[in-house]
Amino acid sequence: MSSRYKTGKATQIWRSATNHMATGLAVLSTVLVVAPLIAIFVYLIYKGASSLNLAFFIKTPRAVGEPGGGMANAIVGSALLLGIGSLIGVPIGIASGVFLAEFGRGGKLANAVRFTADVLNGVPSIVMGIAIYSLIVLPQKHFSALAGGVALGIMMIPTITRTTEEMLLMVPHSIREAALGLGVPNWRSVLSITLKTASPGIITGCMLAFARVAGETAPLLFTAFGNQFWSANLNEPIAALPLQIYVYAISPYDEWHRLAWAGSLVLIVLIVLSVSLVRFVTTRGVLKGAN
Amino acid sequence: MPVSVTKDVEKLKDTSVASPQETAATHSGASTPQGVVDVSSVRKFLMARGNSAVADRGFRWLMIACAMSIFAIVALIASELIARSQLSIAKFGIGFFFKQAWNPVTGDYGALTFIYGTLASSIVALIIAVPLSIGVSVFITEMSPKFLRGPLSFLTELLAAIPSVVYGLWAVFVLVPILRDDVNPVLMKTLGWTGFFAPPNFGQGVMTAGVILAIMILPIISSLTREVMTAVPGSQREAVLALGATRWEMIRMGVLRNARIGIVGSIILGLGRALGETMAVTMVIGNRPEIVKSLLAPGYSMASVIANEFTEASDSLYLSALVEIGLALFLVTIIVNGLARLLVWAVTRGASARVA
């Protein structure tokens, strides 16, 4: 303790040494954080690119032992699941955000909704899987694409709600009042003035939610279940890219490992593209909601 | 210090000054500063004059209904979990969580092994991730040259965008061999006496799960830590520097001390994520229901036992026991997340009020 208040030469050296050491440690930890990221990406690109070919995109999986095959059904399945998810998550998410920003400002109800959305956000994805299993799969008595889509949709809601609220709060009051002053009904002003002004930011939120659930595996394990064959029937088990990657990764076959890497690369490229697109456009200010 | 002053000015610019093109894009030429007029009373007056009371009310109720559906969803999840775990709750009671047995053949179930696996791997993850993420946040917010700030925070956010299953895949084929052949032997030699690093060394185990979890929760902890650190007002930094502190002393006394509650909050939020993480852990933890002191030995976590055995659960008691584990996970993450939000909110609340 006492050394802090001394001003001798030794103290000066000690202080400056700790200062440099702290800088060194901060730099070191930054390197240690960035290193695994780069390691994962390099390895993924190296492994994935060497296993990626046209067949991956147009063929369905082959039986064990047969070389070749692809994940066409899983790609289509993922697209379907994400489509159902967006149909559920986007409208509910945006509407809840509108409620929080336009109608519930600061009220107890709004705080409760906000807190519940946070709770929903924190629900482990595997628990979501169990819940949807017992809500939809058990009564229906079969796994289905619909159940998987609902699980993903519910997981999208909290992210969209919170970004929508944040974006709407940035829209200045004067705009709303101008609309009302012109005799525009309130619902119309919310839809075509406020939401429209904030739409770029809201789209960003939707993209982020989309990217987040695109890679989810755990909620699909007991809902969409996976499928080795073509299926576009919403009432049947359906393949999904992350599920297929999981099944192939824990299998003992090299050929399947190869496909898992290719699948991961495709998934990552999709996700990173959407995230960086969002980031690029938002930092450019084009998509920023009005201040 | 001029550095932090300019930073504050930039922050102000970012948050409160609209650029001309944005203002133009928002239909309204007049951008009156907020808070000058009592906005809500003007709006209330205008809204009352509209002749679309029915449509307005309908719209309002529609929005409220959607917001209420969030309550409904959480309530449904909770009630389903409670209902489906009744069988196991009735049979084993609270003892379920203190029993090691997991035997589908005799119908004897206890969750202690899985609770241990989840806790042990999460603690390992926190031990690795907390110092690293604080270091990264300190570097990005206080030390890094300006041109590196954006790219670095983008890179740490990218870590959050990688799906769990891809982490698992990478861990199985890259991390496991590295730990098994290079890291674990060193740990066994130097720290073997503690008993935490004893053979067998399969590569798959609680330790490996902890390492991959650490990588996964890093972005969460570091982005929130960065947020609370930037919420510390620049005057605090300037005051400490003005007293002749070095940069590290400024960070320690001026920034970290002020932000500590928020940092704890972000760590707890990271813990919440680690507790519920499924896929990557399932792929590397070894999936053996055993409590072993050595972290290198295989274990089993709450989320991974659900992932592995849920579809195989043959009788209703088995299924019910698995759902009860899910229910426990659900409740624990609610508590952990609620606590974390409260702490982060307690710190950033004041800051956002100042900026606005």
Side-chain angles (χ1 to χ4, degrees):
Chain A
M1 268 317 257
S2 61
S3 72
R4 201 187 290 166
Y5 303 106
K6 284 181 191 155
T7 47
K9 185 101 184 175
T11 325
Q12 289 300 329
I13 293 171
W14 167 246
R15 286 178 58 200
S16 134
T18 19
N19 185 30
H20 287 301
M21 210 164 69
T23 313
L25 282 177
V27 173
L28 180 73
S29 50
T30 310
V31 171
L32 280 178
V33 169
V34 177
L37 179 75
I38 292 172
I40 291 173
F41 270 93
V42 167
Y43 203 77
L44 196 62
I45 291 168
Y46 161 71
K47 276 287 207 178
S50 63
S51 341
L52 209 54
N53 50 26
L54 187 63
F56 180 86
F57 293 101
I58 56 169
K59 294 256 172 65
T60 55
R62 294 272 181 86
V64 174
E66 279 183 60
M71 288 194 183
N73 59 338
I75 296 173
V76 173
S78 265
L80 259 175
L81 287 169
L82 288 168
I84 302 171
S86 305
L87 276 182
I88 295 167
V90 171
I92 297 185
I94 291 181
S96 312
V98 167
F99 165 74
L100 288 179
E102 302 288 327
F103 301 115
R105 281 196 183 183
K108 273 191 185 138
L109 191 59
N111 280 333
V113 169
R114 215 171 282 129
F115 179 77
T116 319
D118 277 343
V119 166
L120 194 58
N121 202 20
V123 172
S125 49
I126 188 87
V127 174
M128 190 66 80
I130 301 182
I132 300 299
Y133 173 85
S134 56
L135 270 176
I136 299 181
V137 177
L138 271 186
Q140 278 199 318
K141 297 201 170 54
H142 55 80
F143 298 107
S144 67
L146 192 68
V150 170
L152 295 186
I154 292 177
M155 298 188 71
M156 288 174 84
I157 294 175
T159 319
I160 299 178
T161 301
R162 296 310 300 272
T163 33
T164 304
E165 186 202 359
E166 270 165 37
M167 294 301 146
L168 288 178
L169 286 181
M170 284 203 283
V171 176
H173 292 300
S174 52
I175 293 181
R176 298 187 176 93
E177 277 146 25
L180 290 170
L182 290 171
V184 178
N186 191 38
W187 65 271
R188 193 63 203 273
S189 114
V190 169
L191 281 184
S192 34
I193 310 293
T194 327
L195 271 180
K196 197 164 186 184
T197 310
S199 63
I202 294 171
I203 292 168
T204 310
C206 294
M207 292 284 280
L208 285 178
F210 186 84
R212 190 191 145 202
V213 297
E216 282 291 353
T217 318
L220 301 180
L221 283 172
F222 337 120
T223 51
F225 194 67
N227 193 335
Q228 291 287 75
F229 308 100
W230 272 113
S231 169
N233 187 340
L234 295 188
N235 260 323
E236 276 175 18
I238 200 167
L241 210 44
L243 263 182
Q244 203 86 337
I245 293 170
Y246 173 63
V247 172
Y248 280 6
I250 57 172
S251 76
Y253 314 109
D254 279 342
E255 181 68 17
W256 280 16
H257 295 162
R258 197 182 61 77
L259 283 171
W261 283 110
S264 301
L265 183 64
V266 171
L267 193 59
I268 280 280
V269 165
L270 284 177
I271 291 172
V272 169
L273 262 185
S274 55
V275 171
S276 37
L277 190 75
V278 163
R279 193 180 165 93
F280 174 78
V281 183
T282 41
T283 48
R284 285 302 147 104
V286 186
L287 277 189
K288 247 185 210 157
N291 262 321
Chain B
M1 265 321 256
V3 184
S4 46
V5 171
T6 46
K7 213 170 83 188
D8 268 14
V9 171
E10 271 160 29
K11 209 161 131 196
L12 270 179
K13 257 190 217 153
D14 276 353
T15 48
S16 64
V17 182
S19 67
Q21 95 226 28
E22 272 166 21
T23 325
T26 56
H27 305 240
S28 110
S31 58
T32 42
Q34 294 179 17
V36 176
V37 210
D38 183 17
V39 280
S40 59
S41 67
V42 174
R43 196 130 60 95
K44 262 183 203 146
F45 173 71
L46 288 170
M47 270 158 69
R49 281 181 61 92
N51 56 355
S52 56
V54 177
D56 271 353
R57 218 170 290 149
F59 181 71
R60 186 195 162 93
W61 281 109
L62 188 66
M63 298 297 117
I64 292 178
C66 283
M68 292 304 108
S69 72
I70 296 182
F71 287 131
I73 289 167
V74 172
L76 267 181
I77 293 175
S79 63
E80 280 297 325
L81 290 175
I82 293 169
R84 303 269 176 213
S85 56
Q86 272 315 312
L87 214 56
S88 152
I89 292 175
K91 175 128 196 245
F92 304 113
I94 193 78
F96 181 76
F97 299 106
F98 302 103
K99 207 162 57 165
Q100 281 202 43
W102 189 259
N103 194 339
V105 180
T106 58
D108 195 14
Y109 302 100
L112 190 64
T113 336
F114 313 113
I115 296 173
Y116 168 79
T118 298
L119 282 182
S121 54
S122 303
I123 289 170
V124 171
L126 283 185
I127 290 174
I128 299 170
V130 167
L132 283 182
S133 43
I134 293 180
V136 168
S137 317
V138 164
F139 182 77
I140 292 179
T141 53
E142 309 290 334
M143 297 173 173
S144 128
K146 210 170 169 293
F147 69 95
L148 268 179
R149 210 164 279 171
L152 274 179
S153 36
F154 178 55
L155 279 179
T156 50
E157 273 163 39
L158 262 192
L159 271 177
I162 299 176
S164 174
V165 69
V166 176
Y167 274 116
L169 182 70
W170 181 78
V172 167
F173 291 104
V174 183
L175 191 64
V176 166
I178 291 177
L179 286 179
R180 183 182 55 215
D181 303 332
D182 303 322
V183 179
N184 289 355
V186 177
L187 283 175
M188 284 197 284
K189 207 175 275 170
T190 53
L191 294 167
W193 52 270
T194 56
F196 287 119
F197 303 99
N201 175 19
F202 297 128
Q204 299 207 331
V206 175
M207 174 80 180
T208 317
V211 172
I212 198 73
L213 274 179
I215 300 177
M216 298 177 74
I217 62 175
L218 259 170
I220 298 172
I221 303 183
S222 70
S223 73
L224 269 165
T225 304
R226 250 183 297 145
E227 204 172 289
V228 291
M229 279 172 65
T230 37
V232 173
S235 55
Q236 294 282 340
R237 296 184 180 80
E238 286 152 27
V240 180
L241 285 173
L243 291 172
T246 62
R247 184 163 64 178
W248 165 241
E249 285 162 344
M250 178 271 282
I251 293 166
R252 188 163 57 87
M253 300 181 208
V255 182
L256 290 181
R257 187 165 296 176
N258 281 317
R260 63 184 187 277
I261 299 176
I263 294 176
V264 171
S266 69
I267 292 169
I268 298 177
L269 209 60
L271 176 69
R273 169 91 194 268
L275 292 175
E277 188 45 60
T278 315
M279 301 319 293
V281 173
T282 308
M283 290 161 91
V284 296
I285 200 168
N287 298 333
R288 197 162 71 189
E290 238 175 26
I291 298 183
V292 183
K293 192 185 177 194
S294 170
L295 295 175
L296 304 184
Y300 219 154
S301 83
M302 295 165 82
S304 41
V305 70
I306 301 174
N308 277 328
E309 302 186 8
F310 198 76
T311 44
E312 295 165 9
S314 40
D315 60 292
S316 45
L317 183 63
Y318 193 179
L319 201 66
S320 173
L322 286 170
V323 176
E324 190 176 350
I325 293 179
L327 177 66
L329 211 51
F330 177 70
L331 295 178
V332 167
T333 45
I334 287 181
I335 295 168
V336 166
N337 282 320
L339 195 64
R341 295 275 170 204
L342 206 67
L343 289 173
V344 172
W345 174 76
V347 174
T348 47
R349 164 192 55 165
S352 49
R354 250 194 306 280
V355 172

